[in-house]
Amino acid sequence: MPARIVVLVSGSGSNLQALLDADQQSYAVVGVISDRPDAHGLVRAEHHGLPTLVVDPGDFPDRHAWDTALAHGIADWSPDWVVCAGFMRILGPVVLDTFPRRIVNTHPALLPAFPGAHGVRDALDYGVRVTGCTVHLVDSGVDTGPILAQVAVGIEPGDDETALHERIKVVERELLVDIVTRLCTDGCTVVGRKVTIP
Ligand code: GAR
């Protein structure tokens, strides 16, 4: 039986598309959730015939209510894994406690450098020569969970945020598909901050 995956998106959804385009023998994407009704990732999901759900914080009285609705929305699809693929919100304690060590995030920088919503811009502004992407397990911090895999991307003369992000996303998509496939096939063990995928 392939592992069941729910993907969370906020934007264009190219990482979601990579997961959908890959040879999905080890996993099946069973639903896609966005915090934004206009996320193009929802269109990609619908083109693929997948059910979608919008859980917009603006529709809830407070963060706890949003967190609870998101946890219920994800749980309705009984996923083995939850993948944040460009989901630009910090997950709350209800979601984290419902899926402990079962949530994966992809981030466009080499964590622990440049966490947060502007990882590409922050790396450029800092003047680093190498940045990249990180796929990690999600914990209660901002991009602080145990690291599963990273790939470096060099910064080239004249790079701006858009050009650099597009180059990062090329390797990020491949990395995310590889790690999700391996997690769904073999699982992982976590000891402290160290993660092993057999
Ligand atoms: C990706 O580069 C992902 O790492 C980033 O948003 C992009 C989404 O692209 N996420 C974050 O910055 C989270 N802090 P996509 O919508 O085309 O998959």
Side-chain angles (χ1 to χ4, degrees), residues 4-6 8 33 67-84 91-104 137-140:
R4 296 170 64 84
I5 293 183
V6 169
L8 309 187
I33 298 179
D67 180 24
T68 303
L70 183 58
H72 286 153
I74 299 169
D76 280 347
W77 286 317
S78 305
D80 298 295
W81 290 93
V82 179
V83 178
C84 298
L91 296 174
V94 181
V95 170
L96 294 173
D97 290 347
T98 307
F99 306 99
R101 290 185 171 168
R102 289 283 163 184
I103 308 175
V104 175
L137 295 175
V138 175
D139 66 10
S140 59

Side-chain angles (χ1 to χ4, degrees):
M1 283 283 284
R4 296 170 64 84
I5 293 183
V6 169
V7 181
L8 309 187
V9 298
S10 296
S12 102
S14 71
N15 281 282
L16 165 67
Q17 191 70 55
L19 288 165
L20 295 175
D21 290 345
D23 180 19
Q24 301 177 45
Q25 295 194 354
S26 61
Y27 65 85
V29 179
V30 295
V32 174
I33 298 179
S34 180
D35 58 321
R36 299 174 53 122
D38 60 347
H40 185 62
L42 294 171
V43 177
R44 295 181 191 266
E46 281 153 18
H47 281 165
H48 209 81
L50 290 171
T52 62
L53 177 68
V54 175
V55 187
D56 183 342
D59 294 338
F60 296 89
D62 56 31
R63 181 167 160 77
H64 177 73
W66 173 75
D67 180 24
T68 303
L70 183 58
H72 286 153
I74 299 169
D76 280 347
W77 286 317
S78 305
D80 298 295
W81 290 93
V82 179
V83 178
C84 298
F87 189 65
M88 303 304 283
R89 303 260 174 198
I90 307 301
L91 296 174
V94 181
V95 170
L96 294 173
D97 290 347
T98 307
F99 306 99
R101 290 185 171 168
R102 289 283 163 184
I103 308 175
V104 175
N105 181 47
T106 182
H107 181 74
L110 294 177
L111 296 170
F114 312 118
H118 306 290
V120 179
R121 184 189 311 168
D122 293 345
L124 269 179
D125 288 349
Y126 195 90
V128 294
R129 296 299 181 176
V130 176
T131 184
C133 58
T134 303
V135 177
H136 65 96
L137 295 175
V138 175
D139 66 10
S140 59
V142 179
D143 300 323
T144 53
I147 290 170
L148 288 153
Q150 296 181 299
V151 174
V153 174
I155 290 170
E156 295 179 356
D159 258 347
D160 61 12
E161 184 179 357
T162 303
L164 178 58
H165 200 171
E166 283 308 313
R167 267 201 339 283
I168 290 171
K169 283 169 77 167
V170 171
V171 295
E172 179 180 33
R173 292 190 281 262
E174 194 175 331
L175 185 69
L176 182 66
V177 169
D178 178 51
I179 294 302
V180 167
T181 300
R182 290 173 56 198
L183 286 174
C184 291
T185 306
D186 297 320
C188 67
T189 56
V190 185
V191 179
R193 290 202 52 83
K194 307 282 173 59
V195 191
T196 307
I197 303 175

